Amino acid sequence: MTVAFRPRPSVVRRDSGLYAYERALARRGLTPIAGVDEAGRGACAGPLVVAAVILRRQIEGLGDSKLLSPAVRERLYDQIVRVAHIGMVIIPPGEIDAKGLHKCNVSGMRRAVAQLPCDPEYILTDGFPVPGLPAPSLAVWKGDQVAACVAAASIVAKVTRDRLMVTLDERYPQYGFAEHKGYVTPGHRLALETHGPCPDHRYSFVTVARGMGENEMGAGVA
């Protein structure tokens, strides 16, 4: 009787470096590998941006986009777009209000992978599993801190979204989007209370709804 032997599973230590997941998967012949992440999930204004990235070579200095300075993010972004395959989806606030944030996030990850110019053999997603992807996948807790392709996706998504928010700031300067990028800050709350929301706010979010209500109640009161 022939006995089929399964290969031993790879064990990836979280302190083995940012390319440990990619190396382990490559040893199993699973390349190319795509990393997927988003930016803007916690904001109450502006789009949700989802990026999928396949790195074609290593890039020094990659890390969680939230932990990097804007100047470093911009520099790494320029390097990534030169040496990576990228798929990206920008989901507007109205779609988030209509479908819900998590549903948009999951579908955005699928759509970003579909935008890649080549098919990945394996996909690493940040934080939670995404059903319906076109290749085997693994959800990695804080993936943007431990997997290079996910870190690259987080930088691409973050820089893209920040640039969009600076453009929105030019259209709606009263909200300070260039500074807080649509996240909830004391200054953003005050602007909502004073001016009410603009068309690029997420009306289904409690902070926006509360600001809209307070603006209506305060109308006509000097």
Side-chain angles (χ1 to χ4, degrees):
M1 183 178 69
T2 302
V3 179
F5 290 94
R6 295 182 178 179
R8 295 176 60 188
S10 296
V11 177
V12 179
R13 292 172 54 90
R14 294 182 70 89
D15 59 355
S16 298
L18 203 61
Y19 288 89
Y21 279 93
E22 283 92 331
R23 287 195 297 266
L25 290 166
R27 286 196 294 269
R28 295 288 186 265
L30 295 171
T31 59
I33 303 156
V36 190
D37 201 3
E38 48 74 26
R41 183 179 177 90
C44 68
L48 180 72
V49 177
V50 186
V53 173
I54 295 174
L55 290 172
R56 292 182 290 168
R57 69 170 177 80
Q58 293 191 12
I59 297 176
E60 293 299 322
L62 286 178
D64 180 358
S65 63
K66 297 183 292 297
L67 304 178
L68 302 174
S69 70
V72 171
R73 284 198 300 265
E74 289 282 348
R75 175 175 58 79
L76 289 170
Y77 174 90
D78 290 340
Q79 294 182 50
I80 293 165
V81 297
R82 287 197 298 266
V83 302
H85 296 307
I86 296 173
M88 187 159 53
V89 174
I90 298 172
I91 302 171
E95 187 174 342
I96 296 170
D97 288 336
K99 298 179 179 179
L101 178 64
H102 185 68
K103 185 174 181 179
C104 285
N105 203 354
V106 171
S107 66
M109 289 187 168
R110 295 193 200 103
R111 291 159 59 193
V113 170
Q115 293 291 328
L116 287 166
C118 63
D119 295 330
E121 289 293 321
Y122 205 89
I123 301 166
L124 299 175
T125 62
D126 183 47
F128 55 87
V130 178
L133 290 171
S137 63
L138 175 68
V140 183
W141 176 246
K142 294 186 177 180
D144 45 10
Q145 297 180 23
V146 297
C149 57
V150 180
S154 77
I155 290 169
V156 170
K158 173 68 173 168
V159 170
T160 300
R161 187 178 186 279
D162 282 357
R163 292 176 178 179
L164 292 171
M165 296 309 295
V166 170
T167 300
L168 279 182
D169 184 74
E170 297 171 359
R171 189 182 307 170
Y172 307 108
Q174 65 270 36
Y175 297 102
F177 288 145
E179 180 181 353
H180 54 66
K181 306 301 189 292
Y183 289 89
V184 179
T185 65
H188 194 182
R189 288 182 190 272
L190 180 60
L192 277 169
E193 294 167 6
T194 304
H195 304 288
C198 74
D200 283 280
H201 276 96
R202 302 176 187 177
Y203 285 71
S204 58
F205 280 45
V206 172
T207 302
V208 176
R210 185 180 296 129
M212 182 168 56
E214 290 175 356
N215 181 258
E216 291 174 349
M217 288 187 292
V221 179

